[in-house]
Amino acid sequence: GDRGTYSYRLLATNRTGTLEKEMQQSADAGFNVVGQTVFESTFGGKETAAIVEKGPANLQRWEYKLLATSKTSTMEKELREVAEQGYQAIAMTVGKTAIGGSELVVIARRPVK
């Protein structure tokens, strides 16, 4: 009942498909993505994490996409494609792939109509 109360969830996984699914489930429950990072966990190697927040002003609902690739040219192409679908990039990190290369990870969202 307190209008100033916020709730948070920390989502973390080494699979981008799992993170995208968890972000969307959180968004469907009224949460918005407010941050992202990549870190090395004790058990699972490199993981991508997102913080989601639910607050009194979260009236807009979002649909999320997570893009991940090791090639900047592929990321540019994918960003163009999702932009044409109405998505906006809101966060980007650089992580390590399982074979030791770098990977760009971008969170994009669009309003739910």
Side-chain angles (χ1 to χ4, degrees), residues 6-37:
Y6 288 82
S7 297
Y8 294 91
R9 291 181 183 170
L10 178 63
L11 312 175
T13 181
N14 56 9
R15 299 190 60 196
T16 55
T18 301
L19 184 58
E20 182 178 63
K21 178 182 165 189
E22 290 177 356
M23 284 189 311
Q24 191 57 54
Q25 288 171 340
S26 296
D28 293 344
F31 287 81
N32 294 329
V33 174
V34 295
Q36 170 196 19
T37 192

Side-chain angles (χ1 to χ4, degrees), residues 70-110:
S70 59
K71 296 178 73 177
T72 55
S73 59
T74 302
M75 180 58 73
E76 184 177 16
K77 178 181 176 250
E78 291 180 6
L79 284 169
R80 239 184 267 118
E81 290 171 359
V82 297
E84 290 173 2
Q85 299 169 22
Y87 286 88
Q88 173 187 18
I90 61 165
M92 182 177 86
T93 55
V94 178
K96 296 285 184 192
T97 65
I99 58 173
S102 293
E103 180 177 58
L104 299 169
V105 180
V106 173
I107 295 175
R109 70 180 182 189
R110 70 178 174 189

